Amino acid sequence: MASVDTTILLRLLEAAPNYVSGSILAEELGLSRVSIWGHLEKLNKAGFCFEAIRNKGYRLLSGPYTIHKNFLEAYMLKEQVSSRLHYLSVVDSTMTEAEHQLAMGCEDGLTIVASKMTRGRGRRGRSWLGEDLGNLYLTFAFRPDMPLVKMQRFTLWIGASLCEILNKDYGIPLQIKWPNDLMYAGRKCAGILTESRVQGDKARDIILGIGINVNSSIKDWPEELQQKAISLEAIVGRRFNMNALAAHLIGTVQKSYQTFISGSHEASFEALWACHEYLRGQEVIAQLENETVNGRVIGLGEQGNLILALESGKEISLEAAEVTLAKSYKNIKN
Ligand code: BTN
C-alpha cells in the first residue's frame, strides 16, 4: 500500500491544475486535517511548492527536479506502472543492488533507482559516472527464464523502445548505436548494461541497467566525457522533471519487457530498429577481442548480431564488439 506522502502527491497530480480538498484527503487517509497539513509542510521542506486556498484545498505548484521517492512513486501510480520501486539515495551500483535483491528472492520486475552511485558499472568492465548531478540511474531485476540466445535482441529492443518514447513523447531524436548506446549528434546520452545469471541455456534472471544523462551540465563532467557525452537538458535546452520522466521510462521498460517475453515484439522489432538505428550503412571500425576490423554496417543478424561487409566483400557477424564510426560524426553529416 502506498504511503501517506505518496498518496497525497498522487491525488494532487491527478487533480492538477485543480485543487484537492484537505478534508477529502484526510478522510481517504484516515488522518486529521492537521496531520495532512503536517505532511504538506514536510514535503514543502523537501522542495515541493503547494498553494492552499480556503474552501478549495491544496494544489501542487511544483516539485523537486531531482529524484524524490514519493514523487516518483506517485508518478508511477499515475502511469499505472505496477512494478515495486526500491529507491536508494546512495548505493555502490544499482546493478549490485539488483543482484542482492534477486538473491533475496525479490519479485519479477523490481525497479531500483539511486540518486548517486559510488561504483557505477559500464560495459566491458568500465566504470559509469554515478555522481548526484541530475542523471538517472535505473536497474530492473527480471526473472524471465528466457533462452540465452535472445539476450542480445532483448537489449536492442529495450534501447529502440526508449528511443521511440523519447522521440514520440518528448521530441528528442535519439538513435541507438549497436548494441546499447543512445546517441544524439554523435554524442552518448545514455547507456544500457545487461547482465544475467545463467542456468543451462537459459537466462534465469536479467539485470537491466540504464544510465541516462538528464539534467546534468556538461561542464560538471570529467574532461574526457565533455566531448563525447550529452544530456537531455543540453539537447532540448530545458530541465526535466526527473520524477515524471523516470516514471514514464520505467513504465516503457516494464511494458517492453512484457512485450518481449510474450514474443509480441516480433511484429514491430525490425521497423522500430530501422527507425532509430545509428549505424546502418556507415563505415565503422570494430574493436574485437584480439583484432580490429573495418567494414560497412549492413544490418542485424537473427540474434541481434551486427553484420558488417568488409572491403573484400566478405560479410562477418559480430556478437560483441566496440564499434565506432570510421569518420567523425561531423564529417559524415557535412
Ligand atoms: C554502458 O557502458 O554504456 C552501460 C552503462 C550502464 C550504466 C547504468 S547506470 C544504472 C546501472 N547501474 C550501474 O552501475 N550501471 C548501470
Side-chain angles (χ1 to χ4, degrees):
M1 211 181 84
S3 70
V4 171
D5 286 351
T6 300
T7 308
I8 292 176
L9 290 170
L10 172 63
R11 296 291 171 252
L12 291 169
L13 283 178
E14 287 170 338
N18 296 318
Y19 297 80
V20 178
S21 134
S23 51
I24 289 181
L25 279 177
E27 198 183 313
E28 178 183 348
L29 290 160
L31 298 170
S32 67
R33 290 181 64 174
V34 175
S35 167
I36 295 291
W37 174 250
H39 281 275
L40 290 170
E41 283 260 289
K42 190 180 76 183
L43 289 166
N44 185 245
K45 289 197 181 103
F48 291 88
C49 208
F50 304 101
E51 185 183 37
I53 302 241
R54 223 187 146 81
N55 297 329
K56 277 189 166 178
Y58 304 102
R59 71 173 174 157
L60 179 62
L61 296 179
S62 63
Y65 275 88
T66 50
I67 292 289
H68 182 285
K69 181 178 187 255
N70 304 106
F71 204 20
L72 174 53
E73 267 174 359
Y75 272 110
M76 285 171 69
L77 288 167
K78 186 167 173 258
E79 289 238 355
Q80 300 183 332
V81 180
S82 56
S83 124
R84 187 166 72 81
L85 172 70
H86 179 52
Y87 169 75
L88 298 141
S89 50
V90 187
V91 68
D92 48 0
S93 158
T94 49
M95 303 301 278
T96 316
E97 182 62 26
E99 283 168 36
H100 293 322
Q101 293 294 330
L102 282 164
M104 288 190 315
C106 74
E107 67 275 33
D108 185 22
L110 176 70
T111 303
I112 299 160
V113 177
S115 292
K116 176 177 172 148
M117 298 190 298
T118 52
R119 291 172 68 98
R121 304 213 291 256
R123 270 178 77 220
R124 303 184 145 238
R126 285 189 291 246
S127 59
W128 185 263
L129 182 71
E131 290 302 318
D132 189 0
L133 288 171
N135 295 330
L136 194 51
Y137 309 123
L138 282 175
T139 293
F140 300 86
F142 292 125
R143 298 180 182 281
D145 202 23
M146 180 171 90
L148 212 47
V149 289
K150 291 193 172 179
M151 280 283 285
Q152 179 84 286
R153 262 171 93 84
F154 174 66
T155 311
L156 303 182
W157 172 247
I158 295 291
S161 305
L162 288 172
C163 286
E164 173 73 6
I165 220 73
L166 285 162
N167 202 339
K168 193 162 66 81
D169 295 347
Y170 300 89
I172 305 171
L174 295 188
Q175 287 180 297
I176 182 155
K177 173 173 162 287
W178 184 92
N180 66 353
D181 294 343
L182 269 50
M183 309 290 291
Y184 177 82
R187 288 167 179 253
K188 181 160 165 171
C189 184
I192 303 174
L193 178 65
T194 321
E195 298 175 348
S196 82
R197 275 187 301 177
V198 175
Q199 202 166 34
D201 59 354
K202 293 267 182 81
R204 196 155 51 115
D205 48 43
I206 296 183
I207 300 177
L208 175 78
I210 304 173
I212 309 182
N213 306 329
V214 181
N215 287 332
S216 51
S217 171
I218 295 175
K219 65 174 177 20
D220 293 335
W221 295 342
E223 218 164 281
E224 72 271 16
L225 291 183
Q226 294 192 3
Q227 296 303 314
K228 292 193 218 157
I230 194 158
S231 67
L232 296 180
E233 180 186 355
I235 297 171
V236 299
R238 69 171 172 86
R239 269 203 300 173
F240 280 77
N241 174 342
M242 281 270 272
N243 297 285
L245 176 76
H248 198 42
L249 298 181
I250 291 167
T252 301
V253 171
Q254 296 285 358
K255 267 187 228 142
S256 304
Y257 169 68
Q258 292 303 336
T259 321
F260 193 89
I261 291 304
S262 69
S264 52
H265 70 295
E266 288 295 351
S268 46
F269 183 96
E270 300 301 336
L272 198 68
W273 181 258
C275 183
H276 300 295
E277 79 166 311
Y278 176 76
L279 292 176
R280 184 175 295 228
Q282 303 288 9
E283 299 293 336
V284 297
I285 304 167
Q287 179 68 53
L288 313 182
E289 213 168 314
N290 296 317
E291 59 172 330
T292 304
V293 294
N294 286 51
R296 191 168 50 81
V297 174
I298 55 174
L300 280 186
E302 239 173 69
Q303 316 292 3
N305 290 5
L306 191 72
I307 313 287
L308 289 192
L310 304 183
E311 241 172 45
S312 61
K314 187 177 158 208
E315 285 182 12
I316 60 165
S317 166
L318 305 181
E319 203 175 306
E322 190 68 21
V323 181
T324 46
L325 294 178
K327 296 178 198 150
S328 77
Y329 178 85
K330 230 179 171 159
N331 288 342
I332 285 169
K333 295 286 154 185
N334 287 342

